[in-house]
Amino acid sequence: MSVDTVSLTGWGRTAPTTAVRFRPRTHEEAAAAVRGRGPRGVIARGLGRSPGDAAQNAGGSVLDLTGLARIGGVDAAGAVRCDAGVSLERLLRVLLPLGWLPPVVPGTGRVTVGGAIASDLPGLDHRRSGSFARHVSALELLTADGEVRTVLPGTALFDATAGGLGLTGVILGATLRLRRVPTALMSVSTERAEDLDDLLARFTAGGDRLPYASAWIDLMARGRAAGRGILTRGEHATPDMRPAHAGRTLLSPRSGGARGRFRLPGCPPVPGGLFGPAPAALYNEVRYRGAPRARTGELRPVGVFFHAADAYPDANLLYGRGGLVRYRFAVGYGQEETLHRVVRRIAGRRSPAVRAVLQRFGAAAPGGLSFAAPGWSLALDLPAALPGLARFLDDVDEEVAAAGGRVCLAKDSRMRPEAAAAMYPGLAGFQELRARLDPTEAFRSDLSRRLGL
């Protein structure tokens, strides 16, 4: 097991802190690192894709699990056991040629299985499939005493670990229930919406006939066009949908990942960020006008459909030296006016938002800190150095909380503890279980200290 001292941030590159990093190759090495932790505790870390500080531990230890990356065979029931350090991107490449798909596929493949469980990530079909942990039939959890437990769904410890941000222990591995798919292609429909009301109406039209759905929103548009966007929906293509020349790509591993990755090798963060209000507005205008008014039946590889953003792995460098803040919140059905107000506030502020994704959520998970709940979710990226951003987002937090909504903890890098307590009624129960299981607070992170989790 290698050990070094490093400065770490999340993908947003805000608030770097220094920790001792352990890189175990076995469960025994991981247990030894937990038993030998210092007074500042330890937190698990995967690929560092969380935009905030959930996988940082200032002055303590960080357990880098990317060395635990074994994938077992798929059994007859469609289940696979894999290590926590396996990335969803790699899992997709391995499983897709066999006709299987991970149970929930989020917007990036650059997250580990352990991270997907600890964040209880939702996918594009949350209304049908729920979040990631719903499809975990067992997980192996390294607890504060250095022992490895098998934890099953329906238990209080499982519910607290799913979405628990690594604060109940270190997830070492999991058994996942997979989804059978007929091909490695998606049949995709795209349509433009003129404003937010139009976009919400298009989202709900037709029910869930096409199970996967998300929309890009132009948060620079104002007036009557506020909230306009591009809605993208998809379903798994059947063999009869494929073009004649695509026979060999039906379940090809080449179809499993995002194509055309544009790296910025050695590129430092752009001073001040690439996007100011005027360039961001122009970019959004071109993107909106360039989308088809309505198109159906377009075939895309599975990886390209789900992980389009992974084609730009260095996009976080374009937000300036201060990094980016990812703000993701959800409000319930019937609270659409809150969503309207937030969209209008962001547009009126002329914040240079070029990434903004709207989704619909279904039933909530039982985890006390799980994010997804029935309603609408909006995620956007903003340069962290924007003047007045902290106060602006604090005000939005209050509006979201007043509507019974919540901000995603796994993405957060700046929320106040009182806001988190107001948004997550299950927080007190989570804290009580954690105190019983881990009275010495072996598992800590910068986020847990900042929010008092």
Side-chain angles (χ1 to χ4, degrees):
M1 175 169 59
S2 66
V3 183
D4 57 359
T5 300
V6 292
S7 177
L8 296 170
T9 71
W11 195 72
R13 299 184 299 103
T14 57
T17 56
T18 300
V20 177
R21 178 174 58 185
F22 294 85
R23 289 175 162 171
R25 295 288 177 179
T26 65
H27 289 191
E28 292 74 20
E29 289 183 347
V34 168
R35 286 192 293 265
R37 66 188 178 272
R40 296 282 287 180
V42 62
I43 195 71
R45 183 180 176 94
L47 293 170
R49 194 70 181 191
S50 171
D53 52 3
Q56 296 171 225
N57 186 20
S61 302
V62 168
L63 211 57
D64 182 333
L65 297 181
T66 53
L68 300 178
R70 295 167 297 179
I71 303 174
V74 180
D75 67 18
V80 63
R81 191 269 168 200
C82 55
D83 284 346
V86 174
S87 73
L88 298 189
E89 181 181 48
R90 178 168 166 245
L91 197 61
L92 192 79
R93 288 200 307 268
V94 170
L95 295 176
L96 198 56
L98 305 176
W100 298 101
L101 199 67
V104 168
V105 186
T108 175
R110 297 188 163 198
V111 62
T112 61
V113 168
I117 298 170
S119 302
D120 202 13
L121 289 179
L124 299 184
D125 65 336
H126 187 271
R127 283 172 56 81
R128 178 177 295 187
S129 299
S131 298
F132 196 91
R134 175 179 170 182
H135 306 274
V136 175
S137 56
L139 57 84
E140 296 145 40
L141 187 70
L142 173 61
T143 50
D145 55 9
E147 298 299 318
V148 179
R149 305 186 188 187
T150 298
V151 185
L152 301 178
T155 63
L157 182 54
F158 185 96
D159 290 345
T161 301
L165 304 168
L167 299 176
T168 62
V170 178
I171 299 168
L172 296 176
T175 300
L176 310 178
R177 294 186 297 270
L178 305 176
R179 172 177 299 165
R180 174 69 81 175
V181 293
T183 72
L185 298 173
M186 302 292 296
S187 177
V188 182
S189 74
T190 307
E191 53 190 303
R192 278 190 347 212
E194 297 179 353
D195 56 32
L196 186 55
D197 280 330
D198 186 24
L199 183 59
L200 299 182
R202 291 173 185 269
F203 244 116
T204 55
D208 295 320
R209 185 182 63 82
L210 299 180
Y212 302 100
S214 68
W216 169 80
I217 293 185
D218 180 3
L219 291 179
M220 301 294 292
R222 294 187 289 181
R224 295 166 65 181
R228 68 181 182 179
I230 303 167
L231 174 61
T232 303
R233 292 185 282 195
E235 62 181 337
H236 293 284
T238 56
D240 61 291
M241 295 179 180
R242 74 187 190 277
H245 65 276
R248 281 192 245 176
T249 70
L250 279 181
L251 292 170
S252 166
R254 293 180 179 274
S255 302
R259 295 179 179 175
R261 295 187 174 175
F262 298 96
R263 285 194 171 272
L264 304 173
C267 176
V270 179
L274 180 65
F275 291 111
L282 178 60
Y283 171 88
N284 284 5
E285 181 72 22
V286 170
R287 180 172 181 177
Y288 179 77
R289 297 297 176 188
R293 290 187 178 275
R295 180 173 61 197
T296 60
E298 178 193 6
L299 294 181
R300 298 182 194 173
V302 164
V304 173
F305 176 78
F306 287 107
H307 299 154
D310 288 348
Y312 306 92
D314 300 322
N316 58 339
L317 300 180
L318 303 178
Y319 286 82
R321 297 191 186 279
L324 68 90
V325 169
R326 177 161 295 168
Y327 189 75
R328 186 174 197 183
F329 71 93
V331 293
Y333 296 118
Q335 294 294 332
E336 285 79 6
E337 183 52 38
T338 300
L339 181 63
H340 273 275
R341 285 197 300 270
V342 173
V343 167
R344 288 195 298 265
R345 288 181 68 171
I346 296 170
R349 195 174 185 273
R350 300 297 286 165
S351 298
V354 295
R355 181 195 179 276
V357 180
L358 182 71
Q359 289 179 244
R360 289 177 80 199
F361 285 160
L369 299 187
S370 290
F371 168 63
W376 301 96
S377 165
L378 178 61
L380 60 141
D381 291 348
L382 294 169
L386 281 177
L389 181 63
R391 173 173 286 188
F392 174 75
L393 292 181
D394 284 346
D395 290 345
V396 178
D397 286 346
E398 292 180 4
E399 186 154 9
V400 169
R406 56 184 58 174
V407 170
C408 181
L409 300 179
K411 310 291 185 186
D412 180 59
S413 60
R414 33 67 46 195
M415 189 163 49
R416 296 172 298 173
E418 58 270 25
M423 294 174 184
Y424 285 86
L427 177 57
F430 175 85
Q431 291 169 322
E432 290 174 8
L433 183 144
R434 187 176 171 223
R436 293 196 307 270
L437 181 70
D438 180 15
T440 64
E441 294 188 4
F443 302 107
R444 307 184 210 174
S445 65
D446 291 353
L447 181 141
S448 73
R449 279 187 285 267
R450 176 169 56 82
L451 295 181
L453 303 180

